[in-house]
C-alpha cells in the first residue's frame, strides 16, 4: 500500500513542478492536481476500508416471481 501512496505523491509532485515551470497559470493547475490526487486517494484507500469494515458488498435477496 505504501508504494501506491508514494506513486500518487510523486505524480502530484511532478505535475506541480511541470506546471509551475512551463505554464503561466500554474496555481490553478496545481490546485486541481491536488484535488485529483485527493480523489484518487479516497477511491483507493478510504472507500475500500469502509466497505470492508461494513462487511463487504451487500447481499441482495433475489426477487420472487409471482
Amino acid at each position: 500500500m505504501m508504494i501506491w501512496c508514494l506513486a500518487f505523491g510523486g505524480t502530484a509532485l511532478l505535475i506541480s513542478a511541470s506546471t509551475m515551470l512551463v505554464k503561466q497559470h500554474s496555481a490553478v493547475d496545481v490546485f486541481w492536481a491536488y484535488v485529483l490526487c485527493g480523489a484518487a486517494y479516497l477511491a483507493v484507500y478510504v472507500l475500500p476500508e469502509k466497505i470492508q469494515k461494513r462487511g463487504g458488498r451487500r447481499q441482495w435477496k433475489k426477487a420472487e416471481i409471482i
Side-chain angles (χ1 to χ4, degrees), residues 9-56:
T11 302
L13 184 67
L14 289 174
I15 290 171
S16 298
S18 69
T19 55
M20 285 184 185
L21 297 173
V22 175
K23 298 179 182 179
Q24 296 298 319
H25 47 87
S26 62
V28 176
D29 291 334
V30 170
F31 170 75
W32 286 112
Y34 280 112
V35 169
L36 180 63
C37 287
Y41 178 82
L42 289 175
V44 171
Y45 294 108
V46 176
L47 291 177
E49 286 181 11
K50 287 191 177 206
I51 291 171
Q52 247 182 354
K53 285 181 183 177
R54 192 179 69 187

Side-chain angles (χ1 to χ4, degrees), residues 57-63:
R57 294 183 179 205
R58 279 193 186 155
Q59 299 296 323
W60 298 97
K61 294 180 182 179
K62 290 186 178 179

